[in-house]
């Protein structure tokens, strides 16, 4: 948590419900973090992923980091503490932690904001900036709109300029292709002059949310290329999932002969082998991604658990 906050490092809710998004490599995996109202005026932050140290934080000119995650904003109302009612202010729920010498997340940047649309309760607005707070009086210069209650794939792009800062952009439901979109990226405050000394972690935040607030985030991936953050390098996003591909103990079964490729969840290929319908493996216990090309030319994939 941020050391200056009175309510620091409060645990967010880990929910057993799984989120799905067709074609995304982390679809249906793991649990969700449920971000809700944790008390009137509460300002809680929880670091969920650290990938470098203060000394080796990302800040080199030309470096690009991508962050992909699934989000369902069932209710994104804020809390009006003065009047004791739900409101429609912007609230940041996903942040990128800048490297520092104090507590994790003491310098939050790359702040991803959402807002329950003031005119249509079925809509939620979203935007991002380096550090500037968005309010009704000072809204973002640009924002997008999504449907409340629907799961979206959000991708954040962070480009370092080498002068102690960076540029942050976000896109919702981009095409699942190795080619990075040239349009659709949103920067909520291009003129934000805040510095951004480097990146070393990701955090989620519950800040002044309404009583019925319910935002769910899962499937986080961080990578240095657009294709990698979506898992495009495995080719699994381009195929249909096949429920007939099954694992029993350490063996993988298919209905027909073909070729199996097995990947871990970082997208790295573990091995490839021809199978006649049963392939015995030496895989360790855990979850894997499988891409199967049958002798008939049909390509499909599955997520399997080796026990």
């Amino acid at each position: 948590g941020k050391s200056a906050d009175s309510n620091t490092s409060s645990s967010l809710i880990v929910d057993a419900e799984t989120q799905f998004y067709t074609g995304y490599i982390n679809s249906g995996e793991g649990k969700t973090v449920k971000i809700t109202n944790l008390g009137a005026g509460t300002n809680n932050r929880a670091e969920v992923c650290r990938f470098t140290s203060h000394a080796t934080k990302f800040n080199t000119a030309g470096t690009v980091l991508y962050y992909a995650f699934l989000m369902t904003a069932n209710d994104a109302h804020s809390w009006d503490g003065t009047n004791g009612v739900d409101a429609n202010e912007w609230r940041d729920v996903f942040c990128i932690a800048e490297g520092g010498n104090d507590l994790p997340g003491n310098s939050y940047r790359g702040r991803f904001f959402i807002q329950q649309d003031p005119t249509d309760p079925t809509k939620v607005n979203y935007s991002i900036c380096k550090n500037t707070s968005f309010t009704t009086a000072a809204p973002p210069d640009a924002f997008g709109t999504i449907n409340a209650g629907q799961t979206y794939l959000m991708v954040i792009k962070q480009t370092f300029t080498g002068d102690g800062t960076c540029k942050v952009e976000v896109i919702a439901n981009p095409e699942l292709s190795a080619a990075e979109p040239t349009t659709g990226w949103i920067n909520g405050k291009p003129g934000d002059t805040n510095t951004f000394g480097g990146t070393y972690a990701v955090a989620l935040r519950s800040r002044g949310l309404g009583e019925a607030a319910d935002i769910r985030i899962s499937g986080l991936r961080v990578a240095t290329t657009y294709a990698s953050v979506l898992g495009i390098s495995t080719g699994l996003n381009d195929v249909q999932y096949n429920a007939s591909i099954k694992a029993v103990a350490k063996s993988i079964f298919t209905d027909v002969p073909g070729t199996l490729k097995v990947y871990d969840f970082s997208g790295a290929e573990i091995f490839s082998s021809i199978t006649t319908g049963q392939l015995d493996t030496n895989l360790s216990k855990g979850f894997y991604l499988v891409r199967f090309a049958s002798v008939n030319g049909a390509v499909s994939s599955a997520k399997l658990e080796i026990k």
Side-chain angles (χ1 to χ4, degrees), residues 133-293:
S133 293
F134 298 146
T135 66
T136 299
D141 295 339
F143 64 86
T145 302
I146 59 178
N147 295 321
Q150 181 177 328
T151 299
Y152 286 82
L153 172 63
M154 313 300 300
V155 179
I156 293 172
K157 179 181 180 181
Q158 179 183 29
T159 306
F160 291 96
T161 56
D163 55 355
T165 189
C166 68
K167 178 182 179 181
V168 287
E169 304 165 278
V170 64
I171 190 170
N173 284 4
E175 182 179 353
L176 293 177
S177 167
E180 181 179 320
T182 57
T183 60
W185 295 97
I186 293 172
N187 184 341
K189 191 67 66 172
D192 187 354
T193 58
N194 285 285
T195 60
F196 201 126
T199 294
Y200 75 107
V202 170
L204 301 181
R205 188 177 191 189
S206 173
R207 180 174 70 91
L209 291 171
E211 289 188 319
D214 183 350
I215 300 105
R216 297 169 187 249
I217 291 177
S218 68
L220 173 65
R221 289 176 66 85
V222 182
T224 56
T225 68
Y226 180 79
S228 294
V229 83
L230 297 181
I232 303 299
S233 57
T234 65
L236 289 171
N237 67 297
D238 297 325
V239 297
Q240 297 297 314
Y241 287 101
N242 189 341
S244 67
I245 303 174
K246 300 178 181 179
V248 178
K250 290 182 177 290
S251 297
I252 300 174
F253 293 85
T254 58
D255 288 345
V256 295
T259 301
L260 274 171
K261 291 187 177 183
V262 179
Y263 304 84
D264 63 23
F265 273 92
S266 71
E269 182 178 325
I270 299 175
F271 70 83
S272 175
S273 178
I274 295 174
T275 177
T276 59
Q278 177 179 340
L279 180 64
D280 299 325
T281 77
N282 292 316
L283 292 169
S284 301
K285 291 182 179 180
F287 290 90
Y288 297 88
L289 299 167
V290 172
R291 188 175 193 272
F292 177 62

Side-chain angles (χ1 to χ4, degrees), residues 95-162:
C95 302
I96 303 169
E98 180 184 43
N101 297 317
D102 41 25
L103 295 178
N106 197 45
S107 296
Y108 273 12
R109 302 288 188 262
R111 299 164 66 185
F112 172 78
F113 286 83
I114 58 177
Q115 176 205 38
Q116 196 80 35
D117 190 276
T119 60
D120 186 346
T122 69
K123 303 294 183 181
V124 172
N125 302 320
Y126 68 92
S127 192
I128 194 170
C129 71
K130 280 191 295 183
N131 195 34
T132 298
S133 293
F134 298 146
T135 66
T136 299
D141 295 339
F143 64 86
T145 302
I146 59 178
N147 295 321
Q150 181 177 328
T151 299
Y152 286 82
L153 172 63
M154 313 300 300
V155 179
I156 293 172
K157 179 181 180 181
Q158 179 183 29
T159 306
F160 291 96
T161 56

Side-chain angles (χ1 to χ4, degrees), residues 1-2 5 7 9-10 43-47 105 108 204-206:
K2 185 176 180 180
D5 290 344
N7 301 304
S9 296
S10 177
N43 183 9
N44 293 306
R45 312 163 186 230
E47 182 183 302
Y108 273 12
L204 301 181
R205 188 177 191 189
S206 173

